[in-house]
Amino acid sequence: MSLYVMKFGGSSVGDIERMKRVAGRIADKQDEGHRCVVVVSAMGDTTDELIDQAKQLNGQPPAREMDMLMTTGEQISVALLSIALNGIGRSAVSYTGWQAGFRTDETHGRARINEIDPRRVLESLKREQIVIVAGFQGMTVDGEITTLGRGGSDTTAVALAAAIQADVCEIYTDVDGIYSTDPRIVKTARKLNEISYDEMLELANLGAAVLHPRAVEYAKRYQVKLVVRSSFNHNEGTVVKEEASMEQGVVVSGIAYDKNVARISILGVPDVPGVLAQVFGKLAEEGVDVDIIVQSGVQNEKADFSFTVALSELAHAKKVIEGLHSELPYREVTSEDNLVKVSIVGAGMVSHPGVAAQMFDVISKEGVSVKMVSTSEIKVSCVIESGNLQKIIQALHTAYNLDTEEQAFVGGPKDRR
């Protein structure tokens, strides 16, 4: 009997009818002779609704209390799914993250998993039960409830699959695999049969929402066989693995975008050793993640440099920089927030010169200037103004021979578009 971890996102369990459909899907998997551990997210928009309610009461709610609140969404899901399975004659048991053995650090809102003790999960499997585990949550050694950050249910599923040595970890969502780009923007996006861990990690970090980056990191580290597929049909999904074969004629595997981008420029900075370390060390100390960094030429012993941060971190990052002014006498700080980062990813890029030049050409033909560029062996990212995003993604998709004749599948039968 193979051991499967099956993860269902919020859209898959968004209402009672979808919950019933998921229960049937799990029962079918058990009927095929497999043991099942299921990880579930909160139903539909529950998490967003809880955040909204908290902010109506307090504009800056305490992080600890937010974790207490946010974990209730998943607890509702696991209990309802277990009830649904028992209702169709299956023996199922639900566990919170901490009951399932997830121990984390003490960072509320974005905790990291320190260890997993899956004894209760394994004991339930020995009793031939279907085990339903709440995603996104854990507990510190001191008994404090924590959450893993948005998208943390993916991380829960993959980490648990590694801990119990599952044969497969299946991520069920509202698309039937990993596509060459967002199928909501490009209807003729190409569904990939397989993709490497490295390519998927780049896409996830660059904005592709189908998998959480930390989940891909876990899968790569522990060699977890990862499959992304739809909870609304039985189509073959996409396998994420160590090495993926490159499709004939396809150098770029995927195109990702990130709208959560802002640029900060610090102008007239003294050109002396240690300035960059001072600025970015302070930002890191304050928990601000910096992405692309570009320094311009030096003039009159002064330099300008720019960097990108998450749009949600813009105000905080500017406050940190302004706090450095007394010890770092720069001339001015400016910022832009009408930006988007567009990226191409593909393992074949390393052996095909001219891929980046082609990207720049496509963007320029849409009348858009490239503000910043970042590259690696398997990706090129460009920060541009956000106005022409959809046209640029479609143009890039066509330029790199990714268009197909088929329409991408998104959502359930009533949501297909």
Side-chain angles (χ1 to χ4, degrees):
M1 293 175 66
S2 295
L3 175 56
Y4 274 71
V5 171
M6 307 168 72
K7 182 264 176 178
F8 292 91
S11 61
S12 299
V13 292
D15 55 40
I16 293 301
E17 288 307 311
R18 291 186 179 191
M19 190 77 74
K20 289 179 180 177
R21 188 185 299 121
V22 166
R25 191 69 176 263
I26 297 164
D28 289 344
K29 183 72 72 176
Q30 189 181 50
D31 288 342
E32 292 169 6
H34 306 299
R35 296 176 296 158
C36 301
V37 175
V38 183
V39 174
V40 188
S41 298
M43 296 173 67
D45 297 324
T46 300
T47 301
D48 291 332
E49 290 168 1
L50 290 172
I51 293 172
D52 183 58
Q53 290 171 3
K55 290 190 174 179
Q56 288 181 46
L57 295 168
N58 183 340
Q60 294 183 313
R64 179 189 183 276
E65 303 311 322
M66 286 301 291
D67 276 0
M68 289 288 286
L69 176 67
M70 302 279 276
T71 51
T72 62
E74 279 70 21
Q75 290 180 56
I76 291 169
S77 292
V78 295
L80 287 175
L81 186 54
S82 182
I83 289 168
L85 283 162
N86 280 281
I88 58 174
R90 308 294 167 141
S91 176
V93 61
S94 65
Y95 290 129
T96 62
W98 46 95
Q99 287 175 321
F102 282 78
R103 297 291 175 262
T104 74
D105 64 19
E106 299 174 354
T107 310
H108 286 292
R110 49 190 176 90
R112 300 191 74 88
I113 300 167
N114 286 336
E115 62 177 350
I116 303 173
D117 179 358
R119 278 179 293 180
R120 293 187 73 175
V121 172
L122 295 172
E123 288 167 2
S124 294
L125 287 170
K126 286 180 182 177
R127 294 193 292 269
E128 299 186 356
Q129 291 179 302
I130 297 170
V131 184
I132 317 294
V133 177
F136 174 66
Q137 58 184 239
M139 182 176 282
T140 70
V141 292
D142 295 327
E144 289 292 314
I145 294 172
T146 55
T147 61
L148 307 182
R150 299 302 293 263
S153 291
D154 286 352
T155 308
T156 299
V158 179
L160 186 56
I164 64 176
Q165 298 183 327
D167 296 283
V168 185
C169 178
E170 294 185 325
I171 306 292
Y172 289 83
T173 181
D174 58 352
V175 291
D176 60 351
I178 296 163
Y179 281 82
S180 51
T181 194
D182 186 346
R184 297 167 184 82
I185 288 183
V186 179
K187 306 302 182 186
T188 55
R190 179 189 299 253
K191 190 174 84 171
L192 307 175
N193 294 322
E194 55 187 37
I195 188 170
S196 70
Y197 291 128
D198 289 336
E199 289 174 304
M200 190 63 243
L201 186 56
E202 286 281 17
L203 285 171
N205 277 317
L206 293 168
V210 68
L211 278 176
H212 194 276
R214 275 198 281 172
V216 185
E217 289 175 3
Y218 266 102
K220 179 177 172 62
R221 185 185 311 162
Y222 298 105
Q223 295 295 293
V224 175
K225 183 180 179 182
L226 196 56
V227 180
V228 177
R229 59 193 313 175
S230 174
S231 59
F232 298 104
N233 64 36
H234 288 78
N235 295 348
E236 292 294 325
T238 301
V239 179
V240 186
K241 53 195 283 192
E242 185 60 47
E243 295 291 339
S245 58
M246 192 171 69
E247 292 191 43
Q248 190 67 30
V250 176
V251 176
V252 172
S253 299
I255 301 169
Y257 64 91
D258 185 359
K259 294 181 179 179
N260 186 29
V261 177
R263 178 167 78 160
I264 296 175
S265 297
I266 307 180
L267 310 177
V269 180
D271 182 39
V272 296
V275 168
L276 292 179
Q278 182 180 3
V279 172
F280 295 111
K282 187 62 176 178
L283 287 167
E285 186 181 311
E286 294 293 326
V288 178
D289 287 327
V290 174
D291 187 14
I292 302 172
I293 304 171
V294 175
Q295 181 172 341
S296 62
V298 178
Q299 189 172 15
N300 298 325
E301 298 185 342
K302 301 286 185 181
D304 302 337
F305 63 91
S306 302
F307 57 93
T308 60
V309 296
L311 181 59
S312 55
E313 291 283 346
L314 176 58
H316 182 203
K318 286 183 70 176
K319 187 176 180 180
V320 172
I321 298 301
E322 288 162 3
L324 286 172
H325 195 231
S326 59
E327 51 192 286
L328 181 66
Y330 53 78
R331 185 177 77 250
E332 184 183 5
V333 174
T334 64
S335 63
E336 296 173 84
D337 58 10
N338 60 333
L339 304 175
V340 64
K341 181 170 67 176
V342 178
S343 307
I344 57 173
V345 174
M349 290 167 55
V350 68
S351 57
H352 287 77
V355 176
Q358 187 177 11
M359 182 181 191
F360 304 149
D361 183 56
V362 169
I363 292 173
S364 68
K365 284 178 178 176
E366 294 298 326
V368 176
S369 299
V370 175
K371 293 178 176 287
M372 303 177 81
V373 177
S374 174
T375 66
S376 74
E377 286 188 339
I378 64 170
K379 66 99 174 175
V380 180
S381 295
C382 295
V383 176
I384 60 175
E385 290 185 357
S386 60
N388 283 7
L389 174 63
Q390 189 160 337
K391 287 182 66 178
I392 287 170
I393 290 176
Q394 180 66 75
L396 287 168
H397 201 266
T398 300
Y400 291 114
N401 300 316
L402 293 172
D403 292 342
T404 66
E405 298 293 326
E406 298 179 3
Q407 289 282 310
F409 179 88
V410 181
K414 294 181 181 179
D415 300 320
R416 191 164 187 170
R417 51 195 182 273

